[in-house]
Amino acid sequence: MSTDRTRPAGRRDQSGPRSAPSGPRSASTGPRPTPGGPRSVPPQRSRRLQPHRPQRPHQWFAERLLAVLSGQRPVHWMLGHTIGEAYDQLAELAPSTPLRATHGSRPVLRHCRGAQPATGVVEAFASIAAGDRVRAMAFRLEQGADQRWRCAAVELGGERLTAGVPGLR
């Protein structure tokens, strides 16, 4: 066990906390560094230091639905997270993997927004990009008596439209 009180017991390096003195200082060593002075280290911006904002239910479900509809996860992965016809809709959509990767580019969630038309209900939409394709996905979430959100409906849209090709809108 270490007798140095400025360093945790298992730490072996010689540096201690920046604010703790490294030992007795004599008048000949000069003044101690002040916060914000030339020896201080500027604060680092990091995601760790920012307050954690929990992911909203519609964003979480959009990621899960994308994983199933792109073939990255099996349909039964959503079994406990769906109610009503939503699981049947997923089981019908998933085998064709409508959001699969195109030309080696993995589909990603571009935007996800939700609206709360009533208490315990969220209607959400998301846009998913894979290569040059952008698809739309809409889904409805309902909060049960156990306060858990479950997907109640899923729809896909967004047929690929190419600008400048006659006959396509």
Side-chain angles (χ1 to χ4, degrees):
M1 186 167 159
S2 173
T3 59
D4 187 357
R5 295 182 187 263
T6 62
R7 183 171 42 248
R11 193 166 163 180
R12 295 186 198 260
D13 64 346
Q14 295 301 314
S15 64
R18 286 188 180 92
S19 62
S22 59
R25 297 182 76 80
S26 66
S28 63
T29 60
R32 299 178 81 172
T34 59
R39 293 187 191 175
S40 70
V41 178
Q44 300 274 333
R45 291 188 182 248
S46 168
R47 288 182 173 221
R48 284 190 321 236
L49 300 177
Q50 294 174 354
H52 177 67
R53 193 169 90 194
Q55 197 173 31
R56 295 180 180 215
H58 60 276
Q59 293 167 328
W60 186 83
F61 270 92
E63 291 285 350
R64 290 182 79 87
L65 291 169
L66 173 60
V68 169
L69 295 173
S70 65
Q72 298 171 32
R73 293 285 188 172
V75 179
H76 68 267
W77 193 52
M78 291 293 292
L79 194 57
H81 302 288
T82 57
I83 56 173
E85 296 179 15
Y87 186 78
D88 296 334
Q89 291 169 333
L90 281 174
E92 190 176 314
L93 288 169
S96 64
T97 58
L99 301 177
R100 69 185 165 275
T102 58
H103 306 292
S105 61
R106 189 175 183 174
V108 294
L109 188 65
R110 284 180 34 173
H111 301 284
C112 184
R113 302 283 188 266
Q116 195 166 8
T119 303
V121 175
V122 173
E123 292 179 349
F125 64 93
S127 64
I128 293 122
D132 63 343
R133 283 185 81 172
V134 177
R135 299 287 306 263
M137 176 173 62
F139 54 98
R140 178 182 174 99
L141 303 177
E142 295 179 3
Q143 194 172 31
D146 59 357
Q147 300 301 304
R148 290 182 55 201
W149 291 95
R150 291 179 179 83
C151 185
V154 180
E155 288 186 20
L156 287 178
E159 290 298 319
R160 182 178 176 186
L161 302 178
T162 308
V165 177
L168 292 179
R169 294 184 203 174

